[in-house]
């Protein structure tokens, strides 16, 4: 494992800061007391950078930041899962019998088929600012891509993945928290309102497993808290809120995949 982090600031612009961090990990195949768990090696990289500024902008208290991160893992799948049937594998586990050909498996850092290749990319932007004397507005935007490739044991001439899952998500959050409104000397009202929306697109390629889909969802909310000071044993808070959500989703199933599911009886032809 190797890890590191660098923090930096700008003397010419107080309030501006940068952070870069990374950690790398490489693991050899694990072992039981009796045999090596062949092909359980892994390699993981996790890197990211964040730049932010907090200070006065045209008389407003502003806090902005931008982050980028990437996680990547190349994960071996134990050769022992290649037992002829799930019942055979369960029997090996129950009797603690070494899997066939386990005497040929070695403790190495190499990752062979079957394996999984996983990548997560994340972008996050955030801005918060005072809005005159009315309150504080916070806006966040996030973009995440999750890509998962699965490589089965196939003929040597086949180089690509047998399964590919590609999920892309956009998300937006807006929050406005108004300043405390004094109703009397001992009574004040504090609250916030906002919205959330996200859009997802999932693309699947390879052997038929999961259909692709597109989804849009969102919601609006508001909450208020009435605070009354010095009521008998202490302060009294009364809260009320409301929220409304909506979702729309469409599955994408190609003609070949549709026909295959019909043949298997997994879909009703009607």
């Amino acid at each position: 494992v190797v890890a590191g982090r660098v923090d930096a600031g700008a003397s010419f612009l107080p309030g501006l800061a940068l952070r870069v961090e990374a950690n790398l990990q490489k693991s050899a195949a694990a072992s039981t007391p009796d045999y090596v768990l062949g092909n359980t090696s892994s390699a993981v990289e996790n890197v990211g950078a964040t730049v932010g500024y907090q200070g006065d902008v045209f008389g407003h208290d502003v806090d902005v930041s931008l982050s980028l991160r990437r996680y990547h893992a190349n994960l071996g799948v134990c050769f022992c899962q290649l037992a002829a049937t799930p019942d055979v594998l369960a029997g090996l586990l129950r009797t603690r019998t070494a899997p066939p050909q386990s005497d040929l498996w070695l403790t190495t850092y190499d990752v062979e088929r079957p394996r999984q290749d996983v990548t997560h990319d994340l972008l996050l932007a955030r801005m918060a600012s005072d809005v005159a004397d009315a309150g504080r507005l916070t806006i966040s935007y996030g973009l995440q891509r999750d890509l998962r490739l699965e490589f089965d044991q196939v003929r040597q001439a086949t180089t690509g993945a047998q399964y590919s899952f590609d999920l892309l998500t956009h998300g937006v959050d807006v929050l406005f928290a108004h300043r405390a409104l004094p109703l009397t000397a001992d009574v004040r009202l504090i609250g916030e309102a906002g919205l959330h929306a996200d859009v997802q697109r999932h693309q699947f390629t390879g052997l038929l497993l999961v259909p692709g889909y597109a989804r849009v969802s969102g919601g609006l909310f508001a909450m208020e808290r009435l605070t009354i000071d010095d009521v008998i044993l202490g302060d009294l808070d009364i809260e009320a809120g409301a929220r409304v959500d909506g979702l729309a989703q469409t599955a994408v199933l190609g003609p070949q995949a549709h026909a295959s599911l019909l043949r298997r009886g997994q879909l009703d032809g009607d």
Side-chain angles (χ1 to χ4, degrees):
V1 178
V2 178
R5 188 180 79 185
V6 176
D7 293 327
S11 59
F12 64 88
L13 184 58
L16 180 66
L18 170 68
R19 169 173 290 180
V20 179
E21 54 189 336
N23 60 76
L24 310 176
Q25 176 182 322
K26 196 171 182 67
S27 302
S31 299
T32 71
D34 300 318
Y35 59 90
V36 175
L37 294 173
N39 201 43
T40 54
S41 310
S42 65
V44 178
E45 303 93 37
N46 195 0
V47 298
T50 301
V51 60
Y53 173 77
Q54 184 175 10
D56 182 83
V57 177
F58 301 114
H60 297 278
D61 180 19
V62 173
D63 185 352
V64 295
S65 63
L66 176 66
S67 297
L68 295 170
R69 300 200 66 89
R70 163 164 281 202
Y71 168 88
H72 176 257
N74 187 20
L75 309 171
V77 178
C78 184
F79 290 141
C80 54
Q81 65 86 32
L82 297 176
T85 66
D87 290 338
V88 172
L89 178 59
L92 294 175
L93 296 175
R94 184 171 54 254
T95 61
R96 299 185 180 181
T97 303
Q101 299 185 339
S102 60
D103 56 317
L104 303 177
W105 302 342
L106 303 175
T107 302
T108 71
Y109 289 93
D110 298 331
V111 178
E112 304 177 33
R113 289 174 179 262
R115 67 182 181 90
Q116 299 174 345
D117 191 287
V118 181
T119 303
H120 300 297
D121 291 315
L122 174 66
L123 179 149
L124 179 62
R126 179 180 178 275
M127 185 277 291
S129 174
D130 291 335
V131 181
D133 294 326
R136 191 164 182 83
L137 177 67
T138 302
I139 302 174
S140 300
Y141 167 74
L143 169 63
Q144 181 166 322
R145 185 192 183 199
D146 303 306
L147 177 62
R148 183 187 187 95
L149 304 176
E150 298 194 4
F151 300 80
D152 205 349
Q153 281 195 326
V154 292
R155 295 179 179 178
Q156 190 173 3
T158 302
T159 58
Q162 280 59 63
Y163 300 95
S164 172
F165 308 85
D166 190 352
L167 178 63
L168 186 66
T169 305
H170 300 266
V172 175
D173 289 279
V174 178
L175 175 67
F176 177 72
H178 69 72
R179 66 179 180 85
L181 303 176
L183 304 182
T184 68
D186 298 324
V187 181
R188 60 189 178 277
L189 189 66
I190 303 173
E192 59 188 27
L195 64 86
H196 169 77
D198 65 51
V199 178
Q200 280 192 331
R201 183 269 295 154
H202 177 259
Q203 287 184 328
F204 173 79
T205 57
L207 301 176
L208 180 62
L209 185 63
V210 179
Y213 66 85
R215 184 177 72 178
V216 178
S217 63
L220 302 171
F221 70 91
M223 184 183 72
E224 294 290 337
R225 180 170 70 250
L226 185 70
T227 299
I228 306 175
D229 296 334
D230 302 323
V231 178
I232 306 177
L233 299 179
D235 297 343
L236 174 65
D237 288 336
I238 302 175
E239 291 187 357
R243 182 181 178 98
V244 58
D245 294 282
L247 183 148
Q249 179 169 299
T250 301
V252 181
L253 196 62
Q256 183 177 359
H258 182 264
S260 176
L261 291 175
L262 285 177
R263 286 195 303 270
R264 297 178 187 178
Q266 294 176 278
L267 282 181
D268 188 339
D270 299 328

